[in-house]
Amino acid sequence: MATSPQRAIELALAAIKRYERPDLEQRLHQARARLADDQVRLLVVGEFKQGKSMLVNGLVGAPVCPVSDDVATAVPTVVRHAETPVVTLVRAEGRTEVPLEELPRFAAEEGNPGNRERLLHVEVGLPRPLLAEGLVLVDTPGVGGLSSVHGAATMAALPSADAVLLVSDCSQEYTAPELEFLKQAMAVCPNVACVLTKTDLYPEWRSIADRDRQHLADAGIKAEVFTVSSTLRWHALQTGDQEVNTESGYPPLVTYLRKKVVAQADLLARRSTLHDVLTVIGQVVDSLRAEQTAQENPESVQQLIRELTEAEQRAAGLKERSARWQQTLSDGVADLNADVDYDLRDRMREIVREAEDALLAGDPQKIWDQFSVWAQQAVTSAVSANSVWATQRARWLAKKVAEHFDSDREQMLPALRVGTSDPLRSVPELAVRESDKFGIGSRLLTGLRGGYGGLLMFGLIGSVIGLTLINPISVGAALLLGGKGIVDERKRITTKRQNDCKVALRKYVDDVSFHAGKDSRDMLRGLQRDLRDHFTTLAEQLKRSLTESIQAAQKSVKASHGDRDARLAEIKTELAALERVVKQVTA
Amino acid sequence: MITDEVRRVLLTAIDLYPQASEVLRRQLVRLDEPLRVAIAGKVKAGKSTLLNALVGEEIAPTDAGECTKVVTWYRDGPSPRIVQFPQGKSLPVVRRDGALEIALDGPADRLVVDWPSQSLRSTTLIDTPGIASLTTANSLRTTHFLSPEDSPSEADAVIYLMRHLHSADANFLESFRDQGVARATAINTVAVISRADEIGGGRVDAMISARGIAGRYRADSSLQGLCQNVVAVAGLLAFAGRSLRQNDFMALTALAALPREELESSLLSADRFVDGSVERRALLNRFGVFGIRLAVTLIRQGVTEPSALAAELVARSGLLELQKVLHTQFGERRHLLKARSALLALDGVLRAAGDSRLTGAVERILAGTHEFTELRLLSALRSGAVKVPDAELASRLLGDEGAHPLVRLGLPRGSGPGEVGQAAFAALQRWQRHAENPMLTRRSADACRVLVRTCEGLLTREGARPPR
Ligand SMILES: Nc1nc2c(ncn2[C@@H]2O[C@H](COP(=O)(O)OP(=O)(O)OP(=O)(O)O)[C@@H](O)[C@H]2O)c(=O)[nH]1
Ligand SMILES: Nc1nc2c(ncn2[C@@H]2O[C@H](COP(=O)(O)OP(=O)(O)OP(=O)(O)O)[C@@H](O)[C@H]2O)c(=O)[nH]1
Ligand SMILES: [Mg+2]
Ligand SMILES: [Mg+2]
């Protein structure tokens, strides 16, 4: 049995206690805090009415997500562990707790049509073993419906997910839009599994599942496929019938979530904790070894002190702006800012161009309703694509910075380290992971609302421009035979409308661009700050370790022969003790 | 009669534009043929199954996997015959278990099936491959067939199937509308919520739920401009009902006689129900989980005759409602829809020729035919482009629920000429009053005048006696 990450931290804390290094202890405390609230976010996505909500309910064994025959889920519902059941509404302005039975009123389309409550998401806390292991299930509104604003929000939430379940029912094989969505999802969150629901309803479910596997293989997608029936699961939960439970197909899915999703995330957590533990102990060991070398060969102490001092200066240099990782970071963020901004502008330009073509093609009055819906959808998906892309690039940047920091540090250390180069470099995940992980999605939506005034204007123009000047007969004929018999008067009105519409469209696009641009700049600024703080702290710790080594070496110069032997013996025991800890945690 | 006027202008056009004579002659022939109704929708929406239900025979192949690959015409004919195009090759007519089996011989772009059937006498039904398919070529065939870029559409009207309104559906309906005929296409499209029994997860009350959803879509403004009506239909159930056999009935009766607990436990899932039995598998394929649950419930409630069960299944499937809608929206407007198709084709020819000699004649037909005016107003009301007071009465008066005077006036069946006259006169006065209301916009007032004209028509109809 490997030592648990929590235990490893305890051991390390105990082992370094005597060295009085609050900075290193702090680092271990932080690692422990991260472990404590480390959660695995599993996003349940798919086209609407495929049985997503019922799947979540089946997994937690409680009717938390509203299920209905008509479009149901209006806002993402986050289901996580809590000692007692609790429902919290999360808005941009803050969080409010509501009684349990109020949940459908907020999470479902029926009580909250088009999310008029303006919720970012709803949180449900439940005492369940699966959730207590750190799993957080997120039920999302279906994508693909007419209001594909939902879909864009789901896309935007993807980068923050640890794993994704794509839900589709067994009534038919995958359609083109579904596979398209899956491909996009894989690009941002590779840990995807496919769930085929409603096996109870379709005698042909096995052949549908085979076809779907084939489609996945053809598309080069490696994902496990699970076939389930939530109705059977529900029946089993209520009657306790084990046989029905087996038939429901849930057990393998639950095992997958435990073994592959939660355990995988655990593995990551273990790795980064181990990394912290080993680095902390490594620094203490380094100091001790430096002292050991000094005590053993008093004649070369001066040489050693020189080396250490140089190293210390270099460590101090790591904190400077001129350090390579700092350069990478600031250049990277600047580039990223420019790229993301350019990308957004480019996408918007494209939309404006297409929209103006459409407007110029005829009388905007006639296509107005569809047009404004289209414009809103196009703009939303452009913003979400842009933010997904920005997040991807930001992650990549974080990794680069970490690499540069590590290699700088390695070059700098004097040769006395024995096999302590860290095999498990991990990027500090907290850099991109915000405290409220729905950050990007929610900002996207607020961004849109910011631009809502523009949309309202759209609606207004429709009614302000009168219809009175047009004779119904001639318009009717024109409608039936497309653009025939347009009189000059109408042309004039049309041109005016076209211009009004163009202005409204541009204003809307500008509004949204402004908000979206600000959001992504804020995101990058946050990223920059987080990364800088993180690595600067690491550099400080390193510097302090080196300072301690130097002091120890200097002390040894003055020591007497007897003291020296006694100290050497001590160092030996202490090193042995630390090595035992290392062995224990890496076992 | 509008058909005659259109025929006349087509004949003139044939003389004027010999280069387009083939296209125009085809339109001429088409005027005398049955109405062409295409059945379209996303893959596996249940198009072929619904076609079978409408015909009452299993002539369109269906399957759980992607199935219909070419546009297939089903028309009435003296004897069964299948011809594959572009080769023009006859294919063997093979039936297995009552189902027609079509084995394509080489690449095909169109199949024409002649089938002697009462249901096909006045309408030719066209089955199409599903859109949004992973096999893009199949989907493209349908899109091209229904909204070709260079030629008029072959179909006069469309039944559009959707399981839930997906953005792909809306795009499709919209592209169909966009093709130069603007909003007016809403008049020849009826939307169907298909496989409606599955919406409620196959529960016994599933159809009620599905009807509720259809009602919501009907009221949804984004759909109103796209189609005439929305109906929920369980095609599989409808077909099973229409073709119910004695042995099906016996098998269902035997099921109904099982102890309640045993039956409930076996109806929990398809797998449990089949349990290795070939007969049960066949029964399930024909009825679906919902169909079996419903049939057994009905038998338990005392249905003892196969014919009574069949009738009940068909009624609950929503097929009758669909047939009624098809009758009022398409059947009664057959001539109008065909004339419209022909005028569209002619318009294409005129545009291509860049010639305006016949434009006036076409405009005259369009503007002069009161039924066209009614249709245009109807779709303008639906899409909200025009508003009038008492909009529901107006739609009904314009023939939204049926062209018969009694229906238009909202009178009970069997009302006499005196009552018709009275109601028509009252309506006339109502719309005259509205037309003169200075608060109305000019457009709304014009719309009211169209309604006045409709009332006048009703009054001058044979037999209607205006009150003194
Ligand atoms: N028979 C059967 N019905 C199911 C199953 N899962 C879901 N359903 C039904 O399918 C319908 C949709 O289920 P939901 O869970 O609301 O689907 P959803 O994907 O969350 O829907 P939206 O949130 O509206 O996108 C409901 O009528 C459910 O009863 C299943 O495993 N078997
Ligand atoms: N439960 C139920 N199943 C249906 C219904 N209609 C069709 N099905 C099933 O759905 C599947 C597909 O039906 P088809 O009629 O082949 O669908 P389609 O739209 O013609 O399919 P493509 O031509 O391949 O696009 C078959 O397995 C049918 O049995 C229905 O009303 N209820
Ligand atoms: Mg849901
Ligand atoms: Mg088919």
Side-chain angles (χ1 to χ4, degrees), chain A residues 45-47 50 165-180 182 192-197 207-217 219 221 223-226, chain B residues 42-44 64-66 131-135:
Chain A
V45 301
E47 299 216 329
Q50 303 295 310
L165 286 186
L166 180 82
V167 180
S168 171
D169 68 25
C170 291
S171 69
Q172 67 182 96
E173 58 201 286
Y174 285 137
T175 58
E178 274 177 318
L179 266 197
E180 196 46 47
L182 184 57
V192 173
C194 300
V195 180
L196 303 178
T197 57
S207 85
I208 297 287
D210 287 343
R211 281 164 191 271
D212 283 346
R213 287 197 183 92
Q214 189 58 48
H215 287 313
L216 291 175
I221 296 172
E224 284 198 53
V225 176
F226 297 92
Chain B
K42 271 177 68 178
V43 263
K44 304 269 61 88
E66 196 169 329
I131 58 169
S133 155
L134 277 172
T135 329

Side-chain angles (χ1 to χ4, degrees), chain A residues 21 282-292 545 548-549 552:
Chain A
R21 288 290 303 272
Q283 291 194 11
V284 176
V285 168
D286 280 352
S287 300
L288 286 175
R289 272 194 212 289
E291 195 187 342
Q292 195 180 30
S545 294
E548 304 248 310
S549 303

Side-chain angles (χ1 to χ4, degrees), chain B residues 43-49 62-63 67-68 130 195 197-198 234-236:
Chain B
V43 263
K44 304 269 61 88
K47 301 176 291 297
S48 304
T49 307
T62 64
D63 189 58
C67 178
T68 310
R195 302 179 70 165
D197 53 324
E198 295 172 351
L236 192 67

Side-chain angles (χ1 to χ4, degrees), chain A residues 306-336:
Chain A
R306 242 192 335 273
E307 271 181 26
L308 285 170
T309 316
E310 275 170 30
E312 190 200 15
Q313 270 157 12
R314 278 192 301 253
L318 261 187
K319 295 195 300 177
E320 300 301 319
R321 295 257 159 184
S322 55
R324 191 154 70 109
W325 70 269
Q326 293 258 29
Q327 288 290 325
T328 314
L329 180 60
S330 55
D331 291 356
V333 168
D335 284 355
L336 205 50

Side-chain angles (χ1 to χ4, degrees), chain A residues 366-387:
Chain A
K366 276 186 269 165
I367 53 165
W368 198 242
D369 292 349
Q370 277 73 36
F371 179 78
S372 47
V373 170
W374 172 85
Q376 193 199 2
Q377 288 180 357
V379 166
T380 316
S381 41
V383 172
S384 89
N386 175 262
S387 99

